[in-house]
Amino acid sequence: MISAYLKTRFAAALEGLADDVPAALELIRPGQDAKFGDFQANMAMPIGKKTGKPPREIAQAIVARLRIDDLCKEPEIAGPGFINLRLREETLETLLQKCVADTERLGVAVVEPAHRRRILVDFSGPNIAKQMHVGHIRSTVIGNALQRMLRFAGHEVITDNHIGDWGTPFGMIIYGYRHFLDRTAYENNPLEELGRLYRLVRRLIDLAGKPAGTPSAKPTVSDDAGAAPDTDSSDPDSSDPDASSFREQFQEYLDRDIQAAVLEEVAKLHQGDTENRTLWQEIVDHCLVDIDRMYRRLNVSFDHTLGESFYQPMLAPTVESLLERGIARETDGAVGVFFEGEEVPMLIRKKDGAFLYGTTDVATVDYRMERWQPDAILYVVDFRQALHFQHLFATMRLMGYGADRLELAHVKFGTVLGEDGKPFKTRSGDTVGLESLLDEAQERALAVVQANLSPENEGNDPSEKERSEQEHRETARRIGIGALIYADLSQNRESDYVFSYDKMLAMNGNTATYMQYAYARVRGIFLKGGVDIDALRKSGIAIRIREPQERALALELLRFDEALDWALRDYRPNILTAYLFELANRYSNFFEHCPVLKAADEETKISRLLLCDLTARTIRKGLELLGIETVERM
Ligand code: ARG
């Protein structure tokens, strides 16, 4: 909020002094040290470099032309030519007042019409034949946070879940269904049975053709066939102690070419065989029920769920058209798009006529452009698919979707690691199911909630004791899920991170729990003081900034819009979490030094209550934009 004002004033002063005014305005930043002021403008140095004039002189010229004294105290020039700005208390107070009055947006402006964009966010996209696992959490929560932030900023957002519903895993399940289905189990719990069939066939494929005791090689059947490459199919464990009894039981199948049989099922499905189509639809429907449950738990929804299968009829025409336009060409019987200076093409049709993951994605962009004409498409996908997206984007450019009319961004992220620094697995080496992850987070959160209620931590509030079991569970749900989401979002998305329940649920540190606690504490103050905060907000009584801790908190509160802005520049939710953490820290500093309910006089008390309230609302809004709920008490 503040820097928007400062920028307007500087823009006027820089007219004629700087040849790239917008770039110069980027160099107005919050000061690192309160001693030197609240903001620092550093454009004199680059301008000096360009013009050959001493930067200090330029700084003086800027300051001389700057009309800013209604907002700031006298600017100071320091060092080689830094311009230090200190805001007037009245400025802070007026701006805070605006935020207090703006219950919906807390003073955050909606993006100007000229900058409003239509943005399609492609996120989550699990391969649904398998249950969702830890690998899916990142795309789901990062994508969800981004779409919420973008909407709040005022953009038009379309979310599309590009599910993997067409790959080889379906052939495995269909094969399993035909040979090993346990009807009763299927009727009781279809998903579990389908999961068992998938794992069983997977294991058969991996063991087939290998004499007992040989270490397992890479899986021989990959999950592509027009579908997403599987970045985390669990390698069968060669030291599996049950392997020999398994072999005995299924020897009959191991002697057949089970791989070929599975691929046969896939081919039949892809060619439109009615029986396989029907079976496929039945399986897909079950899988969708399962992933929807996960989405509900994570509070995520999509405008559209158009999976890979949806694009199948468009694949052949897509390849033909690329061939016709000379964008793709044949190579060894296959068809690929070649890029200048690169040896590897992006294959879009295999020798045997099968289509690939990339073919589907090309058809998908075409479809999206025609249906929605977005200004940008964001793909929130694992960094291991970087080459795929490079190729896809290059292909789109060749197809005439210029960078000036379509932004294409691979919003990539790293891997979730276990404490051992390797990809997070269960003790037995399986990938961790998303459901059990959510369950455990909630269970552990319940322990945290209960520990907080234990007699020694309980304080004297008798109402605490009355909280029902059910309320605890609901609180634990919000804390557990929130912790999981926040732990992910607070990382630089491009790095790997180590998953730890203890860290994510810590009451201190950069965690959702800390933030939720800060929020609940403020609500607690109002409860304890019998404060009608709604009435205070409307009372028109002003916030007054006197103490340095109040000032520090005020400055941070007024930076909310900027944090959002920065987070969206490169699609990085961790910039928002870092902001919230800093805000919560400044709040706790303020709270330590500035008595609220026991303030010296009524006006100070009200002013501080309003500061508390604005902090709580900013935290709540920030968490909400990340997809995290708050609790009134904890
Ligand atoms: N299903 C893919 C996977 O599991 C992710 C899909 C991402 N979206 C896309 N348009 N390729 O890796």
Side-chain angles (χ1 to χ4, degrees), residues 444-621:
R444 292 192 186 223
L446 189 60
V448 171
V449 172
Q450 280 160 350
N452 263 340
L453 294 176
S454 67
E456 60 272 27
N457 291 331
E458 199 174 11
N460 336 328
D461 188 345
S463 70
E464 296 253 290
K465 296 198 180 85
E466 289 159 26
R467 287 204 273 171
S468 65
E469 184 68 22
Q470 211 183 351
E471 194 188 332
H472 292 175
R473 290 204 173 278
E474 173 57 15
T475 305
R477 184 187 70 77
R478 294 180 184 208
I479 293 177
I481 304 290
L484 206 65
I485 296 176
Y486 193 98
D488 199 297
L489 295 178
S490 58
Q491 307 294 324
N492 172 352
R493 60 174 165 75
E494 279 172 80
S495 355
D496 299 344
Y497 76 91
V498 174
F499 188 93
S500 154
Y501 287 111
D502 289 333
K503 279 207 193 108
M504 72 173 70
L505 283 162
M507 297 282 272
N508 264 307
N510 190 9
T511 64
T513 318
Y514 175 58
M515 241 59 81
Q516 286 163 324
Y517 184 59
Y519 175 80
R521 243 178 12 163
V522 174
R523 305 297 295 171
I525 298 173
F526 298 159
L527 211 65
K528 192 165 149 204
V531 178
D532 181 353
I533 192 66
D534 243 359
L536 284 189
R537 280 179 212 153
K538 291 184 194 126
S539 72
I541 298 180
I543 291 180
R544 299 181 320 177
I545 300 300
R546 298 289 178 270
E547 302 298 323
Q549 293 84 5
E550 292 175 320
R551 194 165 210 289
L553 177 60
L555 280 164
E556 198 63 16
L557 282 167
L558 294 170
R559 250 177 40 73
F560 184 40
D561 60 342
E562 237 171 282
L564 275 168
D565 200 43
W566 276 101
L568 287 178
R569 284 191 191 197
D570 194 24
Y571 311 118
R572 295 188 182 277
N574 68 315
I575 294 187
L576 182 54
T577 61
Y579 165 79
L580 292 173
F581 184 46
E582 179 66 25
L583 179 65
N585 282 336
R586 290 190 186 201
Y587 174 73
S588 109
N589 223 3
F590 152 81
F591 194 70
E592 220 170 275
H593 290 94
C594 307
V596 178
L597 292 176
K598 295 201 177 97
D601 55 80
E602 191 63 15
E603 265 183 39
T604 309
K605 175 174 150 186
I606 295 179
S607 164
R608 288 184 182 165
L609 281 169
L610 286 170
L611 272 178
C612 290
D613 177 50
L614 192 55
T615 305
R617 284 194 288 153
T618 306
I619 290 178
R620 186 170 67 183
K621 182 52 105 185

Side-chain angles (χ1 to χ4, degrees), residues 99-171:
C99 300
V100 168
D102 184 3
T103 38
E104 274 307 304
R105 305 190 55 89
L106 303 163
V108 179
V110 176
V111 68
E112 289 162 41
H115 293 140
R116 186 180 148 91
R117 301 200 298 160
R118 182 179 295 166
I119 301 172
L120 193 144
V121 189
D122 176 324
F123 73 105
S124 198
N127 296 333
I128 62 167
K130 293 172 273 177
Q131 289 186 354
M132 284 179 85
H133 56 76
V134 59
H136 295 117
I137 196 157
R138 300 214 74 182
S139 175
T140 308
V141 306
I142 295 171
N144 188 46
L146 290 176
Q147 65 99 359
R148 280 167 175 264
M149 289 156 69
L150 287 165
R151 276 185 221 270
F152 183 67
H155 296 290
E156 187 185 337
V157 177
I158 299 164
T159 52
D160 185 11
N161 191 2
H162 191 79
I163 53 172
D165 58 0
W166 200 241
T168 310
F170 286 97

Side-chain angles (χ1 to χ4, degrees), residues 122 124-127 136 162-164 228-231 308 357 361 364 368 379-381 385 388-389:
D122 176 324
S124 198
N127 296 333
H136 295 117
H162 191 79
I163 53 172
D230 201 14
T231 22
E308 289 167 349
Y357 184 48
D361 260 329
T364 304
R368 287 171 174 168
Y379 294 88
V380 187
V381 184
Q385 293 188 28
H388 166 71
F389 284 105

